[in-house]
Amino acid sequence: MSRHYSSRSYGGYGSSRRRTGADRFGILTFFLLLISSGFLAARLLTTGVLTQKLTLLLLAVLAGLFVLCLLAVFHVVHYGVVTAVVVTALLVLEALDRDEIALTDSVQISPRAAAMKGSQALLDASAVYPLEDLLRTTIMASANDSAVALSEYIAGSEENFVDRMNRRAAELGMTNTNYVNCTGYPQSGQYTTARDVCRLCCEIAKHPRYNQYASVWIDKLTHPSGRVTDLTNTNRLVRFYEGCDGYKTGSTDAAKYCLAATAEKNGMRLVAIVLGTPVSQTRFNEARQMLDYGFATYRRVVIANKGDLLGQNVEVRGGSAESVPLALGSGLSMLLKNGQQSGLSLSVQLPESVDAPIAQGDIIGLVDVLLDGQVIAKLNCVAAEDVPRPGFIEGLLRILRNWR
C-alpha cells in the first residue's frame, strides 16, 4: 500500500470528536507523570524523611496500570509488612479467576494456621470454614491465621505458597521485594519498597472483589461452632475518608506503621503509600493529605475514545469509493493538572492517498497528541469502513466515464 504523507494540526482541545468518556479500568494507554514533586518533597523534608526513612508515594491507577506521582526516596527498603497479605490475597483472587478454587470451597484449618500470632480471626483448629470467610477476613482484618490457612489450601504449605508469592512479585517487576511468610509477620529477610508496593496495588486494582471486602469497616465471623468473632478494619480511612475502599495497613517494631490506601472520586482512583511512620495516626494523616492534594489538583481526562471519527477522509486509488473516512484506532486516558487541558492539541499525519482494497481498522496514519506543543502520545488513525476494489461492471463503467 503506497502512501504519501501530509500533516494536519488541530489546536484548542475541546472538539466534540475528542470529548471525554470514562472507562473505569479498561485497558488504555498510560503515561509516566510526576505529580506534585515540589509539594511532596516539601512534606518529606518537614517530616524528617532522611533520618526516619519515611517514604511517601502518591499514584493514580489508570487502566489497571499506574501513573507514578512521586519518586522521592523511592527505593528506601522497608520490611514487607504492608504487602505480604495483599500478595496472598492477589494469588487467591487469581486462582479464583482461573477456576482453580471456589469461594464455596471448604477449608480445614491446621493447628499451625490456628496458632498464628498477630492479627487473627481466631479460627478453630481442625474446623472447616468456607474459603470466602478466610479470604474476607484476610483482606478486611489482616487475619494471619486465615492467610496461612489459604496458603496451605492452595499450595500445600506456607513455604510453597511463599515461593509463588516471590515468583509473582518478580513477574510484576517488584525487584526490591522478598517475602518469607504470607502474613508479613516479622521475620528476617522480608522487605519491600514504596515502588514495589505501588506496582502491587495497581495489580490488585484489577480485582474489584478485593475492594468489596477491604471497604467493610465492621463485620463478624461466625465460626462452625457458632462462636462469633467481631472484626474491625484496621484502615481507618475506609470509615473516615470519602471514597476510600482499600488497601492495607501493617505495623511491626521494625517496619513501624505502614499504609497503602486507595480512594476513588469522579472516575479517578488514587493510591497513597506511607511506609515507616513512628506513630500510627501519622500514616493516616499523611495519606489523607496526599489524597486530598491529588483529587484537588488533578483530574482524569479521556483524550480520545477508540472509534471516534476524525471528520477527515483520505483518497483511495482503485477503490469502490473515492475516499475512506478515518477514525481513532485506540483510546487514550491520562492525568492532567487543573488548567492543563487547554494546552492539548492533536496533529494528524495522513498519506495523500492509499490503494484499494482497504479493510475497516487498517492503519492509515498517526495522530500525535500534544501538550503545550510537546508530543506526549501517538495514536493510530484507522479506516472507519471497508473500501474494496470495484467489481467488473463498476470498473468498466468507470473506464468509460474517464474515457469520455
Side-chain angles (χ1 to χ4, degrees):
M1 183 182 297
S2 62
R3 297 174 180 172
H4 305 284
Y5 286 88
S6 62
S7 176
R8 311 177 193 180
S9 298
Y10 297 84
Y13 174 82
S15 162
S16 61
R17 292 190 300 271
R18 299 184 289 277
R19 62 177 179 265
T20 63
D23 174 357
R24 186 177 181 187
F25 287 118
I27 302 302
L28 308 174
T29 306
F30 78 103
F31 295 92
L32 186 66
L33 181 67
L34 297 181
I35 289 185
S36 175
S37 58
F39 168 83
L40 290 175
R43 292 210 51 75
L44 288 170
L45 291 175
T46 58
T47 50
V49 176
L50 298 182
T51 56
Q52 296 179 9
K53 291 189 176 180
L54 169 64
T55 301
L56 306 178
L57 181 114
L58 176 66
L59 59 98
V61 178
L62 293 179
L65 298 170
F66 60 90
V67 178
L68 298 182
C69 303
L70 172 68
L71 306 183
V73 199
F74 208 54
H75 288 289
V76 172
V77 173
H78 289 271
Y79 298 92
V81 61
V82 75
T83 62
V85 170
V86 180
V87 177
T88 297
L90 175 64
L91 294 186
V92 174
L93 292 167
E94 290 177 339
L96 287 168
D97 290 344
R98 295 190 297 267
D99 293 326
E100 295 174 359
I101 58 175
L103 293 174
T104 55
D105 285 358
S106 296
V107 180
Q108 187 172 33
I109 309 304
S110 71
R112 181 176 181 275
M116 283 294 110
K117 299 179 181 179
S119 301
Q120 303 173 45
L122 301 177
L123 303 178
D124 295 324
S126 302
V128 176
Y129 291 78
L131 185 143
E132 184 173 17
D133 281 351
L134 302 179
L135 179 59
R136 70 181 178 88
T137 54
T138 296
I139 293 173
M140 180 257 182
S142 300
N144 292 341
D145 46 0
S146 295
V148 171
L150 287 169
S151 72
E152 293 174 342
Y153 180 71
I154 290 176
S157 69
E158 183 181 11
E159 291 74 20
N160 290 340
F161 190 83
V162 170
D163 287 341
R164 297 188 186 186
M165 291 171 63
N166 285 315
R167 288 199 301 271
R168 189 70 179 103
E171 291 169 359
L172 295 176
M174 298 169 63
T175 55
N176 292 287
T177 292
N178 186 66
Y179 297 110
V180 179
N181 58 55
C182 70
T183 63
Y185 196 76
Q187 195 168 345
S188 177
Q190 190 154 251
Y191 55 85
T192 191
T193 66
R195 176 172 186 157
D196 287 356
V197 175
C198 87
R199 291 182 182 276
L200 175 60
C201 288
C202 293
E203 188 65 24
I204 203 73
K206 299 176 182 179
H207 300 273
R209 186 178 294 279
Y210 187 97
N211 299 87
Q212 174 187 332
Y213 298 137
S215 61
V216 176
W217 173 241
I218 294 177
D219 203 356
K220 292 183 178 182
L221 172 65
T222 301
H223 299 268
S225 64
R227 179 172 58 87
V228 176
T229 297
D230 293 325
L231 305 170
T232 302
N233 199 324
T234 55
N235 182 1
R236 299 177 190 174
L237 295 184
V238 166
R239 181 180 182 186
F240 297 110
Y241 192 88
E242 180 185 358
C244 181
D245 57 1
Y247 290 108
K248 209 81 211 77
T249 64
S251 61
T252 65
D253 290 341
K256 296 186 171 28
Y257 294 95
C258 304
L259 170 67
T262 183
E264 183 178 8
K265 296 180 183 179
N266 302 319
M268 180 172 69
R269 177 175 293 280
L270 297 180
V271 178
I273 297 169
V274 183
L275 304 180
T277 69
V279 179
S280 176
Q281 186 59 38
T282 301
R283 56 182 166 176
F284 300 112
N285 295 341
E286 296 287 352
R288 177 189 293 275
Q289 290 185 56
M290 285 194 288
L291 292 171
D292 282 345
Y293 181 83
F295 285 121
T297 310
Y298 290 85
R299 58 181 297 188
R300 181 181 181 182
V301 176
V302 177
I303 308 298
N305 295 298
K306 182 178 180 180
D308 280 353
L309 294 175
L310 291 173
Q312 297 186 51
N313 290 45
V314 168
E315 177 187 351
V316 178
R317 295 194 299 266
S320 60
E322 294 181 353
S323 64
V324 59
L326 303 175
L328 290 173
S330 61
L332 174 63
S333 176
M334 66 178 295
L335 289 183
L336 289 179
K337 195 171 184 178
N338 292 338
Q340 282 187 315
Q341 191 168 352
S342 61
L344 286 171
S345 61
L346 301 180
S347 177
V348 183
Q349 311 290 333
L350 295 176
E352 295 179 1
S353 61
V354 294
D355 296 326
I358 299 295
Q360 183 180 21
D362 281 353
I363 298 174
I364 304 297
L366 292 173
V367 177
D368 291 336
V369 181
L370 300 95
L371 180 61
D372 297 328
Q374 299 294 317
V375 176
I376 57 174
K378 292 180 179 289
L379 303 176
N380 286 328
C381 179
V382 301
E385 59 187 41
D386 296 335
V387 181
R389 291 192 179 94
F392 175 76
I393 295 178
E394 182 181 356
L396 181 60
L397 292 174
R398 283 192 181 187
I399 293 174
L400 292 176
R401 284 196 299 269
N402 292 334
W403 181 69
R404 290 177 183 176

